[in-house]
Amino acid sequence: MSRRFDRFTLWIVDCPLIVLIGLALISAVAVVGYRDPSLISDWFPASAPAGAEQQDSAADVGTDESVIPPPVEAFRITDADAILVVESDSLFTPTGAQAMRRVVDALEQLEFVDRVIWMDHVPGLNIFGLPEPILPNSKATEQRFLVAKEKALDHPFVGGQLLSRDGRTTLLLIHFDYFYVTSDEDCTAGVKQTAVDTARLFPQFDVQFTVTGRVPIFLTAMDAHETNQFKYQIIGYGIIAILSIVLFRGVVAIAIVGLAPALGVFWTLGIIRIFDFQDNPFNDVVLPVMISLVGFTDGVHLMVQIRRLRSEGLPPRDAAREGIRKVGLACGLTSLTTGIGFGSLTLAHHEIVQEFGWCCVIGVTLSFIAVVTAIPLACSTVLGKRVQVGHAKGLIDRNLERIGLVVDFVLRHVGKVSLAGIVTTLVLIAITATLRPDERRESVLPTRSEAAVGLRKMDRALGGLEWGHVQIRWTPDVASDDPLVMKVIREIDDLLRDEALIGNPISIRNLVDALPGQGLAEDRMSMLDLLPPPIKRAYYEPERRVATVSFRVQDLGIATYGPVFERLTQQIENLEVAYPFFQIELQGSAVWRWQNLYQIVVDLMTSLGTASVVIFLVLTLVYRSLRIGLISIIPNVFPLAVAGTYLALAGMSLEIVSVCAFTVCLGIAVDDTIHFITRYKEELDEVADERLAIRRAFTSVGTALVMTTLVLVSGFMSVLFSDSRDHQIFARMGAITVTAALFGDMVFLPAILARFPKRSNTKWSAHK
């Protein structure tokens, strides 16, 4: 294999025209991706989204197509395109009532607003009564407004739903007419600005507006994606450039090393557009920084060798050829194992994780191509004549002897250090195993964005933005007007009210309780006929034998709701046993995420397990040594265990970003191990003395190991400038992992190599 690779490296340096043509072709494909991806993507047949058939079939379950529902549109407060959160201490005052009505009128006059639902638009509960607004006329007395406030809080559709219990926060549920929506700002800033401008006509009305909801959350996430795509890349690359100048002390070397990751990023971001992966939330900040760091680290190893050879007097072309011969195989192996780590993400069930994994595989492959072609090609030209300038002044080279004292200490205490490495890794793995899965909707949003602020306000004031549901179905053996139906609904409603984290359940039980009279809801089942059809059908469809109890869920993380949903599920199962003619199901997006959270753990274990096994097999086969494969486990697992322990001790949980970070960090952490072991194997063939080979391997690759770690950490830390919580978590885990990887490769790896030497070398040394 080594001979074949040597011939390949000769071809790269000796056939520059062919290499340039290849680089130009890849660049052309990337340009097509930026300009018009359909020119290439149209060649491939389109496939239906995964799970589409299952979703369609699931939607038909339980639907009786022979039943024609009455032509009545249900009045719902559980869905809206956008929500305007209104905060004021003066809502129930003459000025507040007048101002709010003017605000609603102004919003409804916008072409792109179809309708606005708020507490004044709630229909009356009595079918025989005239609709009466919640807010009195602006000329009403103060006492009248106090009475109106109490009535509003008692109304099942208002109190705790459209109006907070303290009476100072109300919601305007906005539905858009998308035919007239001309820009994203219409659905966010346009709505808020209209409300603000109208409220300014009433100087005495102190009010604050915040826009959130389904559409604003989506648009905010997309806007942050586009903004971060350039802003934080520039920050990251700037930090890397500054650090490179300090480390290399040579302008030519920096320019050539920077060429490879620049090409890798340019190619990757263009080509992933052909596969329609560009909208993945991890691709704006994390992907380009990751590709640039992976390409830069391999480029550093190659450049360090070429500069050393040039400083020894080799001509540019010979130095380029010999440099890629020495470290090219290791770079290829690191790219392979890094690709395996990234590629394991494609085994995940979450679409975002899958896409990110494919993008990383594409990026690593293209980055490797850029490193092994662009750098040797540039170094074999006239640029190579000055590539060694600054070599003797390098910060790491000048201090390598001091760092080498660490290896000397390790080799003097081989047994203790190797044992400490194994035990420490096992302990950290045990701590990491305590992590529990979690997910929050706010994670995809900048923490200071309008949509995120509104989300938190709804959590505090109204029990959450997200809705969950309990759906009740009954067989034809039970009549839809049977009091037993209401009894089951009441018991479910009581279960939900007993849970502190469940916000404001609403069902036909609440509607019946709001009607005049006393007694249990099931004893007043006949009063359902007094309810207007639009509000009754929101939670009760007798012809389909379906009823619903809805409740609010805060964005506290699904892990927080795990015990709640577990208790509810068990209690619902008990109810189904007690009422055999009823089928009861806990539903909603929050419930679905909780039910599938175990899949995140499965994805993590599958990705890490598969990647670890494959990397172990690759190293064993490449080095033709089971011993080396086993020895590589500790320095590769140790940094992941450190990152997992950090999450556990920081009180954090496993999230999608954690799953990605663990597998990505595995791919990066193994790089230094490969470079060290590759050099160690080469030195061992020459000196046949285990400890001397270890010292010489460190002397050879130590500069690059420390240098690449500093660059990687600086690149990860640059992502901390992002205001996305997911990006910050990813950056911290990445920085911790690569730092721990350097420690493992400089301390534990030499100790274990020396503690478990190759038998033939041990005998030779003893005989010697």
Side-chain angles (χ1 to χ4, degrees):
M1 182 174 180
S2 178
R3 292 179 180 178
R4 293 178 182 177
F5 193 83
D6 288 347
R7 289 196 296 268
F8 173 68
T9 59
L10 291 174
W11 178 80
I12 292 175
V13 177
D14 296 338
C15 302
L17 182 59
I18 296 177
V19 174
L20 284 173
I21 293 174
L23 298 180
L25 288 175
I26 299 175
S27 299
V29 174
V31 170
V32 171
Y34 285 109
R35 299 297 298 272
D36 189 1
S38 63
L39 293 177
I40 298 178
S41 61
D42 287 348
W43 295 354
F44 305 98
S47 58
E53 295 179 1
Q54 293 87 333
Q55 291 175 359
D56 292 341
S57 61
D60 293 334
V61 174
T63 301
D64 188 352
E65 296 181 357
S66 63
V67 177
I68 301 177
V72 176
E73 182 179 359
F75 176 80
R76 302 184 187 277
I77 60 172
T78 56
D79 62 336
D81 295 322
I83 298 175
L84 191 64
V85 183
V86 184
E87 296 174 288
S88 176
D89 293 322
S90 307
L91 291 175
F92 286 87
T93 63
T95 302
Q98 186 179 9
M100 285 302 302
R101 290 191 172 107
R102 289 284 293 275
V103 167
V104 173
D105 290 342
L107 291 173
E108 291 182 329
Q109 288 175 10
L110 297 173
E111 281 190 330
F112 57 86
V113 173
D114 180 52
R115 65 187 186 279
V116 178
I117 296 176
W118 70 303
M119 58 182 176
D120 230 23
H121 289 173
V122 173
L125 293 178
N126 194 324
I127 193 173
F128 302 109
L130 296 175
E132 180 181 358
I134 296 294
L135 288 174
N137 187 283
S138 59
K139 297 180 180 180
T141 63
E142 182 178 349
Q143 182 61 31
R144 176 80 181 278
F145 274 99
L146 291 176
V147 174
K149 181 177 179 180
E150 294 179 2
K151 290 179 62 177
L153 293 174
D154 291 336
H155 196 292
F157 277 111
V158 179
Q161 307 296 349
L162 297 176
L163 179 68
S164 62
R165 292 298 178 183
D166 60 6
R168 67 176 311 273
T169 303
T170 189
L171 305 181
L172 306 185
L173 309 183
I174 302 173
H175 295 260
F176 296 123
D177 185 341
Y178 290 101
F179 183 79
Y180 294 102
V181 174
T182 58
S183 67
D184 294 344
E185 287 72 20
D186 287 346
C187 303
T188 53
V191 169
K192 180 179 178 179
Q193 193 59 48
T194 299
V196 170
D197 291 343
T198 305
R200 284 175 181 166
L201 300 176
F202 303 87
Q204 296 180 346
F205 183 48
D206 185 16
V207 65
Q208 184 176 5
F209 298 100
T210 309
V211 178
T212 189
R214 177 173 54 85
V215 173
I217 287 175
F218 173 79
L219 294 178
T220 300
M222 289 298 99
D223 181 65
H225 167 87
E226 295 174 359
T227 301
N228 290 340
Q229 187 169 4
F230 300 101
K231 179 179 179 181
Y232 299 112
Q233 286 181 48
I234 294 174
I235 294 174
Y237 301 152
I239 293 176
I240 293 173
I242 294 172
L243 186 59
S244 301
I245 293 172
V246 174
L247 295 175
F248 273 116
R249 300 292 181 91
V251 176
V252 176
I254 295 170
I256 294 177
V257 170
L259 177 63
L263 279 175
V265 172
F266 175 76
W267 289 344
T268 302
L269 295 184
I271 290 175
I272 64 173
R273 292 172 181 268
I274 297 173
F275 300 98
D276 198 26
F277 289 158
Q278 69 273 13
D279 291 331
N280 188 289
F282 286 105
N283 288 349
D284 50 4
V285 175
V286 176
L287 181 65
V289 172
M290 288 297 305
I291 295 170
S292 64
L293 294 180
V294 170
F296 194 87
T297 52
D298 279 343
V300 165
H301 280 280
L302 182 54
M303 180 55 68
V304 167
Q305 287 296 328
I306 294 175
R307 294 181 86 197
R308 182 175 293 142
L309 293 168
R310 283 288 295 128
S311 66
E312 293 173 358
L314 281 182
R317 177 168 291 188
D318 292 341
R321 184 187 292 114
E322 184 66 13
I324 194 173
R325 188 192 69 79
K326 284 181 173 292
V327 301
L329 182 60
C331 290
L333 192 55
T334 58
S335 295
L336 175 61
T337 53
T338 301
I340 292 171
F342 291 157
S344 65
L345 293 173
T346 62
L347 301 175
H349 289 72
H350 200 291
E351 185 178 2
I352 291 177
V353 179
Q354 288 180 0
E355 289 186 357
F356 182 61
W358 283 117
C359 292
C360 287
V361 170
I362 294 171
V364 169
T365 303
L366 295 174
S367 179
F368 171 70
I369 294 174
V371 168
V372 297
T373 56
I375 293 179
L377 191 62
C379 288
S380 63
T381 65
V382 66
L383 294 175
K385 293 181 178 180
R386 295 183 56 80
V387 76
Q388 76 278 12
V389 174
H391 171 68
K393 300 178 181 179
L395 182 63
I396 304 301
D397 294 282
R398 289 189 288 111
N399 294 277
L400 188 60
E401 291 184 1
R402 298 180 183 178
I403 303 175
L405 295 176
V406 175
V407 175
D408 293 334
F409 173 82
V410 169
L411 293 179
R412 287 197 303 268
H413 304 84
V414 167
K416 294 179 180 178
V417 175
S418 58
L419 179 62
I422 296 172
V423 173
T424 301
T425 302
L426 293 176
V427 171
L428 296 180
I429 290 174
I431 297 175
T432 302
T434 63
L435 290 171
R436 293 294 177 264
D438 199 5
E439 186 178 19
R440 295 178 61 188
R441 297 186 68 183
E442 190 182 340
S443 296
V444 301
L445 301 173
T447 55
R448 294 183 294 275
S449 65
E450 177 100 354
V453 172
L455 195 60
R456 293 192 290 269
K457 287 182 177 180
M458 289 199 63
D459 282 350
R460 293 192 300 268
L462 291 152
L465 169 67
E466 194 170 11
W467 286 92
H469 312 277
V470 178
Q471 187 181 76
I472 304 105
R473 294 178 178 271
W474 54 92
T475 66
D477 301 297
V478 179
S480 293
D481 58 352
D482 192 314
L484 188 60
V485 174
M486 184 65 80
K487 182 178 181 181
V488 173
I489 294 173
R490 177 179 60 81
E491 292 194 24
I492 293 173
D493 189 76
D494 289 341
L495 292 178
L496 294 172
R497 292 177 185 277
D498 288 339
E499 296 290 346
L501 296 179
I502 294 297
N504 305 312
I506 183 169
S507 64
I508 56 172
R509 185 259 182 101
N510 305 80
L511 305 179
V512 170
D513 285 347
L515 295 174
Q518 296 180 347
L520 295 175
E522 54 265 34
D523 297 333
R524 307 170 66 203
M525 185 73 174
S526 60
M527 298 191 72
L528 279 176
D529 295 334
L530 299 179
L531 293 172
I535 66 173
K536 178 173 67 176
R537 291 189 59 79
Y539 304 100
Y540 177 67
E541 299 177 71
E543 70 282 349
R544 296 182 62 229
R545 301 187 300 277
V546 175
T548 304
V549 182
S550 298
F551 55 90
R552 291 186 181 273
V553 177
Q554 300 178 56
D555 192 37
L556 303 177
I558 294 303
T560 303
Y561 276 90
V564 176
F565 291 151
E566 286 177 2
R567 286 193 297 270
L568 289 175
T569 300
Q570 182 60 52
Q571 292 165 338
I572 285 173
E573 290 176 357
N574 295 338
L575 285 177
E576 287 183 319
V577 173
Y579 302 99
F581 297 111
F582 288 80
Q583 179 183 353
I584 309 170
E585 184 179 5
L586 197 60
Q587 298 178 342
S589 57
V591 177
W592 181 90
R593 293 204 308 276
W594 164 70
Q595 291 172 337
N596 289 273
L597 263 182
Y598 78 95
Q599 195 62 60
I600 294 180
V601 179
V602 172
D603 286 345
L604 175 63
M605 298 306 296
T606 301
S607 298
L608 285 178
T610 303
S612 300
V613 170
V614 174
I615 289 173
F616 163 75
L617 293 176
V618 168
L619 295 181
T620 300
L621 292 174
V622 170
Y623 295 124
R624 298 179 182 180
S625 170
L626 178 62
R627 163 181 163 266
I628 293 296
L630 293 172
I631 286 175
S632 67
I633 293 176
I634 292 299
N636 290 333
V637 173
F638 170 73
L640 301 181
V642 172
T645 300
Y646 157 73
L647 291 179
L649 296 181
M652 303 171 71
S653 304
L654 277 178
E655 303 179 38
I656 293 176
V657 63
S658 306
V659 176
C660 292
F662 269 120
T663 48
V664 166
C665 290
L666 172 63
I668 293 178
V670 75
D671 288 4
D672 288 349
T673 304
I674 289 173
H675 279 287
F676 193 100
I677 291 178
T678 300
R679 177 55 57 186
Y680 156 77
K681 290 279 289 182
E682 293 179 358
E683 297 293 343
L684 194 60
D685 291 338
E686 295 182 8
V687 300
D689 180 84
E690 202 79 32
R691 301 197 178 193
L692 180 57
I694 291 173
R695 286 191 182 93
R696 292 180 61 169
F698 176 81
T699 302
S700 178
V701 301
T703 298
L705 290 182
V706 177
M707 190 179 296
T708 55
T709 299
L710 290 174
V711 172
L712 283 169
V713 171
S714 66
F716 278 119
M717 296 303 288
S718 70
V719 181
L720 290 176
F721 288 98
S722 172
D723 55 0
S724 169
R725 176 177 171 272
D726 276 359
H727 293 159
Q728 293 176 1
I729 292 175
F730 193 99
R732 292 192 189 99
M733 289 185 65
I736 291 172
T737 301
V738 295
T739 303
L742 178 65
F743 181 85
D745 289 323
M746 292 183 63
V747 178
F748 295 151
L749 179 57
I752 298 175
L753 283 171
R755 179 65 180 82
F756 302 99
K758 192 175 181 180
R759 291 184 179 179
S760 59
N761 290 335
T762 303
K763 293 179 180 179
W764 183 89
S765 299
H767 177 72
K768 185 73 174 177

